Amino acid sequence: MSYFDPTENVYNNLKEEEKVKKPVRYKAKNRLAAIIEQESKQKDAMKTMGPPKVELPSPDKFLKKHSKQFKPPAEPEHFHKPPAPLRTDKPQIGIQSKKVFSQKTDLVPVTPKPSFIETKKQLLENSGLIPKYIRKKGLKKKWDEVYHEYQLLPFVIDTVTKKKERIFLEEKMTQLEKDISVLEKFKTIYISSS
């Protein structure tokens, strides 16, 4: 039978590993001086304040007011206007201008056209608020008929025939408006039979 010993341990049966002794590390005689020299080199490499020696500006080149501001480059000479002639200078004869001066000048004061503002400024004449073409009733009735036909057209024009009809009615209305304006502009109109 086996005998049990409580003091017995598995680890006691393992062979003891022999510890390898390392050789003695070499120590230099000037070890401290080498460390100090090496640290000073590292410190110099970490400096980031620019070059160690900078030329100092001479006292003649002191900073002046607005000297650092941007100055645009000087304009070339061909951009400058020629100097104005003196009173004693005689004008050159024989130079012709390319400008066309009209003989007739209209100095009529411009009166503002009547307008109304709903969302944006619009002329009152084109708004339909002022009755237009009320004196010449022969053409105005025709224009009203054409305008009525124009309003009967559908809002969406999707076929070629509808598009042609709309263009035809618009041209007819503009022609009638031109004729009415010509008749209203002049009191008497002379028609020659030639």
Side-chain angles (χ1 to χ4, degrees):
M1 294 221 143
S2 67
Y3 175 70
F4 178 71
D5 185 13
T7 59
E8 192 175 328
N9 194 350
V10 176
Y11 295 107
N12 294 340
N13 294 337
L14 293 175
K15 291 182 181 177
E16 234 179 90
E17 294 178 7
E18 295 179 13
K19 291 185 179 179
V20 179
K21 291 187 178 181
K22 294 180 182 178
V24 180
R25 193 171 177 187
Y26 171 76
K27 290 185 180 180
K29 293 177 183 175
N30 300 329
R31 184 171 176 238
L32 285 174
I35 290 172
I36 292 170
E37 186 182 347
Q38 190 176 3
E39 284 179 356
S40 66
K41 282 182 182 177
Q42 286 178 348
K43 283 182 184 176
D44 288 344
M46 299 301 283
K47 287 184 180 177
T48 58
M49 297 302 290
K53 292 180 181 177
V54 180
E55 285 186 29
L56 295 173
S58 66
D60 301 340
K61 297 178 182 176
F62 57 90
L63 281 178
K64 295 180 181 176
K65 200 176 197 181
H66 307 295
S67 63
K68 296 278 184 177
Q69 288 182 351
F70 172 74
K71 293 177 184 175
E75 292 182 355
E77 292 182 14
H78 65 275
F79 282 120
H80 294 292
K81 291 182 179 179
L86 300 173
R87 291 177 97 188
T88 57
D89 291 348
K90 293 182 180 178
Q92 295 178 351
I93 298 173
I95 298 174
Q96 293 184 353
S97 172
K98 293 181 181 178
K99 289 185 181 178
V100 178
F101 297 100
S102 61
Q103 299 291 331
K104 186 177 161 185
T105 56
D106 296 331
L107 298 175
V108 180
V110 178
T111 56
K113 293 182 178 179
S115 60
F116 74 100
I117 298 174
E118 188 173 330
T119 53
K120 62 178 186 173
K121 188 174 180 179
Q122 298 175 355
L123 292 177
L124 199 60
E125 182 182 344
N126 300 334
S127 68
L129 298 173
I130 294 178
K132 205 172 177 184
Y133 310 119
I134 54 174
R135 294 187 187 141
K136 310 296 176 191
K137 295 178 181 176
L139 291 174
K140 289 179 184 162
K141 285 182 184 176
K142 184 70 176 168
W143 186 86
D144 286 335
E145 291 170 9
V146 175
Y147 185 67
H148 183 69
E149 287 178 23
Y150 184 76
Q151 284 184 328
L152 292 176
L153 287 174
F155 187 72
V156 178
I157 296 174
D158 51 358
T159 61
V160 178
T161 55
K162 289 180 184 177
K163 190 173 184 180
K164 284 183 180 178
E165 187 178 353
R166 189 194 78 196
I167 292 170
F168 172 74
L169 290 175
E170 285 176 351
E171 288 175 355
K172 199 170 185 182
M173 285 170 55
T174 52
Q175 185 60 41
L176 284 170
E177 286 174 3
K178 284 179 186 176
D179 294 343
I180 290 170
S181 66
V182 167
L183 289 174
E184 283 184 347
K185 194 181 282 185
F186 304 103
K187 291 181 180 177
T188 57
I189 299 172
Y190 175 75
I191 302 172
S192 66
S193 57
S194 55

